Amino acid sequence: MARIKTDFLVLGSGIAGLTFAIKAAQMHPDRRVLVLTKTDTGESNTRYAQGGVAAVWDMEKDTYEKHIADTLDAGDGLCKRDIVEIVVHEGPERVREIIEWGARFDREKDDANRYDLAREGGHSEHRILHYKDLTGWEMQRTLMETARQFPNIEILEHYFALDLITQHHLGRMVIRVTPDIECYGCYALHKETGEIDTILSRVTVLCTGGAGQVYKTTTNPVIATGDGIAMTYRAKGRVENMEFVQFHPTALYNPAGENPAFLISEAVRGFGGILKTAEGEEFMHLYDPRQSLAPRDIVARAIDSEMKKRGTDCMYLDCRHLDKDAFVAHFPTIYEKCLSLGIDPMKDLIPVAPACHYMCGGIRVDAWGRSSIHRLYAAGECSSTGLHGANRLASNSLLEAMVFAHRIAHDTRERVGQWTYQDDVPDWNAEGTTDPQEMVLITQGLKELKEIMSYYVGIVRSNIRLKRALDRLFLLYQETEDLYRTTTISPQLMELRNLITIAYLITRSASHRRESRGLHYTTDYPNCQPFIEHSVL
Ligand code: FAD
Ligand code: SIN
């Protein structure tokens, strides 16, 4: 059981974690920046981002006001306007920065001096910078190569953060309203040795990403288990807006089942793809005048409703009228993936269905990424900054992660020297635990959890469904806590525990919201209420 000390402890190596690490390393060449990541450095939600990063770029056509208005409109009254203004105004500078670090975004065919700006649902202008349909892969590559150039950044792979360390570990009672909770670092499982190390830090930054794995079908890779949000909630930090789970309308429907589900980027609809029935008829005009390019919550609900009406497992995306060369150049991965399943996008309708995609809520942070726990910051998908409100606008997520990583680096610039290590933190206590007798208890628990969330807390909710979900979750929680108390820690057990917490937070927040707004739709309260509140737990 090692004890490790670091000035900056960063949990997660996606866009938020690596952007922060690079900035902290640049600002403090003499300080240590330690990044923990639970599998390989490159495995993250970031790596799978397709559509791109939204930023006001073409100043002849686009304006900050338009991007702000689009973000507020998608967020359905729950965005924090000051945060939207910060992200939209500071975003282009962060995009320029990653371009300087080496990110290649596609340029126009006829004018190599101009970036090829795409359009997605809810955007009134073309403002999405992208690298084919592999934008996230390109950004992740750039960040990993840049981070490697800094000798004071160390990345520890296959290190699983288990719990945040606070005064609770020093024997002090800590409850959710304790005003001065402090974070001293974390306990982390070194997956290769099985040892649990104590990592002490002056500053801890959570960049652990989303939690799509709480649903049966998701575009998120298997690492997306909401660990940072669950750890913060266990440490008695504030979490908010968890009911706003974004379902992407167009994951590729594969009857064989695939985890993660492959995404058909919204940029395909921005490129001219049209949603249709199996008979080739359009239906989106029945739901919104923006049709296939309406914001995601509207399109996902429309597809869900059409599927339920018809008793089918998918609807379709028609790309047959599009120029083949241009389509293949823009979407080579999508094209190849469809072909691999025997679907030729130029000849066949592409079967699509909604899949859990993005967590709009998360760890409540202020405009500088500070959580409710001192010395603990959060950025990226695990955080709730107020940018997305009740529904995230497409391609605003990568932008938000970069803007907040930058802001946290600035906020901690002076403060890091004022915070000292808490040397009297005890080592992890594994007394009374033994190796698991039956892993099936964990794997079956996970299956049950996903079923509960998919059937009762999906795109359409109701009081009775939410109550059923809470009752079943409670049982699963009790059984899993029993296992946790008696069993040697494993990543699978911790992920199940974390996902149960996420499921509980989503379901409880959904039960509190007695209205339909943005991504939260309930048949018991189908309308928006005039008084809007953030659901803080
Ligand atoms: P991630 O990139 O998910 O990184 C999380 C990191 O935390 C990983 O390194 C993981 O290993 C680590 N981690 C997690 N738990 C632990 C733990 N317990 N211990 C140690 N490490 C841990 N957004 C856009 O803006 N534009 C797009 O085009 C776009 N397309 C998308 C397409 C897909 C298929 C998906 C899934 C998402 C897409 N998104 C898009 C959303 C966007 O990719 C993510 O929101 C964003 O990349 C999240 O970045 P992050 O740094 O917060 O987290
Ligand atoms: C997509 O390419 O459709 C995903 C974009 C996003 O999630 O922002």
Side-chain angles (χ1 to χ4, degrees), residues 1 194 196 427-434 484-489:
M1 281 194 281
I196 296 177
D427 287 338
W428 180 267
N429 182 358
E431 241 176 49
T433 58
T434 53
Y484 172 71
R485 274 188 289 275
T486 53
T487 312
T488 312
I489 295 288

Side-chain angles (χ1 to χ4, degrees), residues 4 8 10 21 32-36 147 150-156:
I4 299 170
F8 295 96
V10 185
R32 183 178 186 194
V33 182
L34 183 66
V35 181
L36 298 194
F150 290 88
N152 55 334
I153 298 181
E154 187 181 359
I155 302 181
L156 296 182

Side-chain angles (χ1 to χ4, degrees), residues 48-52 120 123 128 133 219 246 248-250 263-269 296 334 357-358 392-398:
Y48 296 92
Q50 289 186 355
E120 291 178 0
H123 287 274
I128 320 286
D133 54 4
T219 62
Q246 185 168 71
H248 196 293
T250 57
L263 184 70
I264 304 292
S265 174
E266 196 155 298
V268 173
R269 278 174 281 135
R296 260 176 214 179
I334 294 174
H357 183 63
Y358 185 84
R392 175 178 68 101
L393 183 67
S395 289
N396 264 357
S397 164
L398 297 168

Side-chain angles (χ1 to χ4, degrees), residues 11-17 36-41 43-53 120 135 140 159-162 207-210 219-221 223 225 227-228 231 263 357-358 379-382 392 394-399 401 498:
L11 302 183
S13 59
I15 190 167
L36 298 194
T37 191
K38 70 177 175 178
T39 59
D40 299 328
T41 312
E43 185 58 351
S44 59
N45 271 12
T46 301
R47 186 228 170 288
Y48 296 92
Q50 289 186 355
V53 53
E120 291 178 0
T135 311
Q140 182 80 37
Y159 252 91
F160 191 112
L162 300 174
C207 303
T208 44
T219 62
N220 292 189
I223 54 109
T225 52
D227 301 350
M231 281 192 277
L263 184 70
H357 183 63
Y358 185 84
E381 193 167 338
C382 68
R392 175 178 68 101
S395 289
N396 264 357
S397 164
L398 297 168
L399 191 73
N498 291 337

Side-chain angles (χ1 to χ4, degrees), residues 65-104:
E65 286 65 36
K66 285 190 197 170
H67 191 183
I68 290 168
D70 292 345
T71 304
L72 294 173
D73 184 43
D76 206 5
L78 215 59
C79 299
K80 292 183 183 153
R81 195 186 169 98
D82 56 332
I83 300 294
V84 176
E85 287 178 358
I86 286 171
V87 174
V88 168
H89 282 275
E90 295 181 11
E93 194 45 41
R94 301 284 76 78
V95 175
R96 264 187 281 281
E97 208 162 55
I98 197 165
I99 291 173
E100 275 164 29
W101 293 344
R104 300 160 296 173

Side-chain angles (χ1 to χ4, degrees), residues 323-436:
D323 177 71
K324 180 176 176 185
D325 292 342
F327 186 89
V328 176
H330 268 77
F331 307 111
T333 326
I334 294 174
Y335 184 71
E336 284 301 324
K337 176 72 185 181
C338 288
L339 288 185
S340 78
L341 295 179
I343 303 157
D344 181 344
M346 298 298 113
K347 293 189 186 137
D348 306 314
L349 294 172
I350 305 174
V352 290
C356 174
H357 183 63
Y358 185 84
M359 190 57 66
C360 293
I363 301 157
R364 181 177 221 195
V365 295
D366 68 9
W368 295 98
R370 300 173 186 159
S371 76
S372 63
I373 297 180
H374 300 306
R375 299 166 61 162
L376 181 69
Y377 290 75
E381 193 167 338
C382 68
S383 68
S384 173
T385 62
L387 175 70
H388 310 307
N391 177 35
R392 175 178 68 101
L393 183 67
S395 289
N396 264 357
S397 164
L398 297 168
L399 191 73
E400 179 198 41
M402 293 192 292
V403 167
F404 272 83
H406 173 85
R407 296 192 130 239
I408 295 171
H410 276 271
D411 196 63
T412 51
R413 192 177 194 137
E414 303 298 327
R415 303 173 109 205
V416 63
Q418 296 156 15
W419 289 324
T420 52
Y421 297 114
Q422 191 72 35
D423 283 314
D424 50 349
V425 167
D427 287 338
W428 180 267
N429 182 358
E431 241 176 49
T433 58
T434 53
D435 287 344

